[in-house]
Amino acid sequence: MILLVILIPALAGAAAFFIGSDPLRRGLLVSTALVQFALSVATWILPPAPALSGWLAEDALGRLFLTLTSLLFLASSFYAAAYLRGERVESRSDFEEGFLFSNAREASFTGCLLLFLAAMTLVTLSQQLGLLWVAVEATTLASAPLIYFHRHHRSLEATWKYLLICSVGIALALLGIFFLAVAASSPGTAAVSLVLNDLLSDAPHLNPLWLKAAFVLMLVGYGTKMGLAPFHTWLPDAHSEAPSVASALLSGALLNCAFLGILRVHQICVASGLVDFSERLLLVLGLLSMAVAAIFITGQVDYKRMLAYSSVEHMGILAVGVGLGGAGLFGSMLHVINHSLTKVMLFMVAGNLLAVYHTKTAKNVSGALQVLPVSGLLWVLGFLAITGSPPFGPFLSEFTILKAALDQGRSFVAIAYLILLAIILAGMATPVLAMAQGTPREDIIVPAGRGVALSAVPAILGAAILLMGIYVPPVLSRTIHEAARLLGQR
Amino acid sequence: MNQLVNAILIVLVLTGFLLLASSRLVACIRAVAIQGILLGLLAIAAQDGNLSVVGVLLPLTSAAVKGFLLPWLIVRAMRDADTTREIEPLIGYNLSVIIGAVALGVSLWLGQRLPLPNQPTSFLLMPAAFFTCLVGLVLLITRRKAITQVLGYLTLENGVYAFGAAVALEMPILVELGILLDVFVGVFVMGIAIFHISRQFDHIDTGRLVTLSDRVQ
């Protein structure tokens, strides 16, 4: 079963490259997403047996990240099918600079989407750190063509930066894995198992010096991919130039996968008594990411870049939660879900606005509430949710992390956290509200025959975010607690 | 055996200096190809005589991919892009070599500071691996042609791989092949991107990829 969850999207992705008919291929995309989601939900009821001698297994962390990825991909596949139907095939002029460009083949786009899903699924289920590395690098390679869907020089520049910066980061993470293997090897024996459970049970005997060096390298490597400052430089470019559905998946699903890579090595640090060291580093990088995001969100002209920096901010919040430990771990795991749901919705809405207004500059957009009532409303609600206003889900998780900081008496962390959140709230409020209100320019016309899914999918996600703020289902809460225990919460 | 390992490592360090000093892309590509083949030999030599079929085939595959297949891909990308030289690096070649010398010193010092739990076959293993990683990073940061940056990435990857061979780490075959496949596909995708960059801009100078930045009101 565990193999099926990975192989189905991989095979469907390979097939999608060769299917000529557009409707058939879009059908394949949606149905694969449905089947894969059904399978990953089924793992909650029937825990799957480990495969490949324990290399692939599902623990609470994996289950959480897998189900979230599948859910987001399902939502995105409906949106993508509607989006691709609305994309014109012939070359057209660029919104910003007016030159002509065309799209990449739709078959490659769909194929890469599905391969991307397969790679992310492999990340969530890998228990062997080498395999995890292979999977994380595979996500980079599968998603790079997604960014270069609109063939013009800006998206090409973004793709190049993404490919090179992430590959270099990931190469450092591989060095980190080798260091970890050195930490685990004892004089006289050559074979080292890099399976997580073996490392965890052997943790007290790991060489602390090498383990520390391994953690730093893997934090830098996977942190590059996750978008933690100061390694985040690829992220705003890639997110602003990719088609919105790809941005949504990059931000909502891919960043989590890289975070999982860091969590795995954090687990080892916790088990071997180096928890203070890894927590301190995560805390520093987390607060730094929030600060960088606060600086660049304030006065940001481009609303897709604004969302991208908001992702840097939230990755920072996740790192702060894990860095605090204790109740912060629960908050962080809950925030993974809340942030992903909200950010995917916001990128979808941003895509709708971009399709109608033909600009990414916030001040050229006005009256979104009148032109696109559903998307306009979701834009405002999504802004409230992502900045941590009650009663939405992110409020609950951000508050849990704040409370963890206060309970531990770390008032400096708590104050810095609150101030940065406030700056970001203020920085996002002005452009977002100005975009929603006011009267629209007269030449704005909503194209006829827009797919229903373009509004319905973000609306459903919006409802989910509201629900997560009011009521966390007990079965979910239990799994999050279990995941937090894996990370050392008592 | 020890002599052989030492000889391989010294050549590895020399190719690093060649990469830093040369402005001709073909020479750089050749240096990276030689590194790839050396690493295959190193992995076999480091096993100290206890050879198995897999233990020979895997390094040979890796040497074939890194020594022939990847350089071929890069040479093709270079022809498409119609460039043969790295012009105007951010820092000059003399300075690059001096930085290389400093990097070698740092690597030797690091090799002293981080003692391996298992006695390695040669005391040069760790410094040579670190040095190759550092050369890769220097190339990535100071060179502006897209192809040289790919070479930098490959050099970094070679350094990491050399470290793996240095600690005689037995990664399972599946993972080894996965890593190799990832590197191959990575360079393949980068090659395609270089082709598009050269067609789009009439050059592959990444220093001019500067449209995307943060505009603030």
Side-chain angles (χ1 to χ4, degrees):
Chain A
M1 179 147 146
I2 223 163
L3 284 172
L4 275 184
V5 188
I6 299 164
L7 283 180
I8 287 176
L11 294 177
F17 281 96
F18 301 105
I19 298 181
S21 136
D22 285 345
L24 192 63
R25 195 173 342 95
R26 291 170 197 150
L28 178 72
L29 175 67
V30 173
S31 49
T32 310
L34 270 171
V35 170
Q36 211 257 359
F37 178 66
L39 278 174
S40 59
V41 169
T43 62
W44 288 66
I45 304 155
L46 286 171
L52 287 180
S53 57
W55 287 21
L56 295 175
E58 194 190 55
D59 55 3
L61 266 174
R63 193 180 320 141
L64 210 57
F65 280 74
L66 170 63
T67 317
L68 184 61
T69 306
S70 307
L71 175 68
L72 296 172
F73 192 87
L74 179 64
S76 305
S77 70
F78 279 106
Y79 184 93
Y83 164 78
L84 290 171
R85 212 177 306 133
E87 272 293 287
R88 279 178 298 157
V89 182
E90 72 273 23
S91 57
R92 58 187 193 275
S93 65
D94 179 58
F95 298 152
E96 316 249 312
E97 295 168 49
F99 55 82
L100 285 173
F101 75 97
S102 55
N103 288 345
R105 277 172 62 231
E106 194 189 312
S108 336
F109 186 74
T110 317
C112 285
L113 269 179
L114 287 165
L115 291 179
F116 184 37
L117 174 65
M120 289 194 294
T121 309
L122 186 58
V123 173
T124 61
L125 295 174
S126 289
Q127 291 284 317
Q128 212 269 6
L129 295 179
L131 191 63
L132 181 76
W133 184 91
V134 172
V136 173
E137 174 68 7
T139 60
T140 312
L141 301 175
S143 54
L146 299 179
I147 301 173
Y148 191 41
F149 180 56
H150 296 308
R151 301 233 147 149
H152 52 61
H153 66 96
R154 290 195 315 272
S155 63
L156 186 57
E157 181 181 337
T159 311
W160 182 255
K161 280 186 186 168
Y162 172 64
L163 207 53
L164 206 69
I165 296 177
C166 285
S167 296
V168 169
I170 295 286
L172 293 178
L174 183 62
L175 189 59
I177 292 174
F178 286 160
F179 275 34
L180 189 61
V182 173
S185 68
S186 46
T189 53
V192 176
S193 157
L194 284 174
V195 178
L196 192 63
N197 277 332
D198 296 346
L199 285 169
L200 287 176
S201 57
D202 195 35
H205 308 296
L206 296 183
N207 180 326
L209 183 64
W210 283 91
L211 181 55
K212 276 184 186 175
F215 180 78
V216 171
L217 282 171
M218 285 162 89
L219 181 64
V220 171
Y222 291 136
T224 306
K225 187 99 198 219
M226 180 185 168
L228 285 176
F231 322 113
H232 67 284
T233 44
W234 63 271
L235 192 145
D237 295 343
H239 285 52
S240 68
E241 291 308 323
S244 294
V245 61
S247 316
L249 281 175
L250 286 180
S251 198
L254 174 70
L255 302 188
N256 291 345
C257 289
F259 184 44
L260 188 60
I262 297 178
L263 290 180
R264 293 298 186 200
V265 59
H266 181 64
Q267 272 185 286
I268 298 170
C269 285
V270 170
S272 60
L274 286 178
V275 61
D276 287 339
F277 174 77
S278 58
E279 281 185 345
R280 198 173 321 124
L281 280 178
L282 280 166
L283 202 55
V284 169
L285 280 191
L287 285 175
L288 182 67
S289 304
M290 291 178 72
V292 166
I295 293 167
F296 283 98
I297 282 178
T298 313
Q300 181 62 247
V301 173
D302 179 331
Y303 57 87
K304 277 188 86 177
R305 287 185 87 86
M306 181 181 78
L307 291 184
Y309 276 111
S310 159
S311 293
V312 175
E313 173 214 350
H314 285 273
M315 290 305 117
I317 293 177
L318 296 182
V320 168
V322 177
L324 287 168
L329 292 170
F330 181 85
S332 192
M333 292 303 105
L334 187 60
H335 197 62
V336 168
I337 301 172
N338 287 326
H339 165 253
S340 293
L341 291 172
T342 316
K343 194 49 66 61
V344 167
M345 178 190 99
L346 277 170
F347 268 116
M348 287 177 175
V349 173
N352 292 346
L353 294 177
L354 182 61
V356 172
Y357 283 91
H358 295 190
T359 176
K360 283 187 286 191
T361 310
K363 69 169 188 292
N364 294 342
V365 178
S366 61
L369 279 167
Q370 283 179 41
V371 179
L372 291 169
V374 179
S375 294
L377 184 66
L378 288 173
W379 186 241
V380 176
L381 292 182
F383 149 70
L384 289 174
I386 203 76
T387 51
S389 323
F392 298 99
F395 166 73
L396 200 64
S397 40
E398 287 179 14
F399 186 75
T400 313
I401 295 173
L402 176 67
K403 194 164 167 299
L406 289 173
D407 285 349
Q408 296 175 12
R410 300 195 183 179
S411 39
F412 170 74
V413 176
I415 291 169
Y417 179 80
L418 273 181
I419 291 177
L420 291 172
L421 283 182
I423 295 175
I424 288 164
L425 171 69
M428 284 181 80
T430 326
V432 167
L433 296 179
M435 283 167 75
Q437 291 164 345
T439 43
R441 287 205 321 268
E442 270 144 32
D443 57 335
I444 300 294
I445 9 157
V446 182
R450 278 176 77 249
V452 184
L454 293 181
S455 312
V457 173
I460 294 170
L461 289 175
I465 300 156
L466 187 59
L467 181 73
M468 285 291 291
I470 300 166
Y471 172 75
V472 180
V475 54
L476 180 61
S477 165
R478 255 202 314 280
T479 307
I480 296 178
H481 268 299
E482 210 180 308
R485 257 199 306 281
L486 286 177
L487 293 167
Q489 191 180 33
R490 276 167 293 277
Chain B
M1 227 32 161
N2 214 340
Q3 295 290 319
L4 180 62
V5 171
N6 277 341
I8 292 174
L9 291 171
I10 289 168
V11 181
L12 188 65
V13 170
L14 289 178
T15 56
F17 277 108
L18 182 63
L19 276 167
L20 288 173
S22 177
S23 72
R24 285 178 57 234
L25 285 177
V26 176
C28 291
I29 295 172
R30 226 171 261 154
V32 172
I34 292 171
Q35 282 187 350
I37 297 168
L38 287 176
L39 291 176
L41 294 178
L42 181 65
I44 297 175
Q47 289 172 8
D48 233 2
N50 315 317
L51 291 178
S52 60
V53 177
V54 175
V56 176
L57 278 183
L58 212 54
L60 284 184
T61 319
S62 158
V65 171
K66 289 187 168 172
F68 298 99
L69 198 55
L70 293 183
W72 177 71
L73 276 177
I74 299 173
V75 167
R76 233 185 43 165
M78 191 184 78
R79 294 237 173 85
D80 287 339
D82 207 16
T83 40
T84 50
R85 269 172 195 282
E86 166 78 39
I87 310 159
E88 302 164 22
L90 293 182
I91 60 170
Y93 295 102
N94 292 336
L95 188 55
S96 298
V97 174
I98 294 171
I99 291 178
V102 175
L104 189 58
V106 171
S107 310
L108 286 166
W109 176 76
L110 261 180
Q112 298 271 308
R113 278 297 306 275
L114 283 170
L116 281 168
N118 277 330
Q119 199 59 38
T121 29
S122 160
F123 76 100
L124 271 175
L125 272 169
M126 291 268 293
F130 281 133
F131 174 71
T132 311
C133 288
L134 289 175
V135 169
L137 288 174
V138 171
L139 287 181
L140 278 162
I141 296 166
T142 62
R143 302 297 195 259
R144 309 205 318 194
K145 287 269 186 268
I147 286 180
T148 333
Q149 290 183 343
V150 176
L151 291 176
Y153 164 68
L154 272 178
T155 311
L156 173 64
E157 192 75 44
N158 282 344
V160 174
Y161 189 89
F163 182 81
V167 295
L169 184 68
E170 282 176 29
M171 285 287 232
I173 309 167
L174 191 64
V175 173
E176 289 262 17
L177 287 179
I179 293 172
L180 203 57
L181 183 71
D182 270 346
V183 173
F184 170 71
V185 178
V187 172
F188 184 70
V189 175
M190 285 174 192
I192 295 174
I194 289 177
F195 172 67
H196 282 285
I197 292 177
S198 66
R199 223 178 40 171
Q200 185 71 245
F201 298 89
D202 284 331
H203 66 78
I204 53 163
D205 186 347
T206 53
R208 277 155 68 187
L209 294 179
V210 286
T211 323
L212 298 176
S213 60
D214 291 288
R215 288 166 298 150
V216 172
Q217 270 162 348

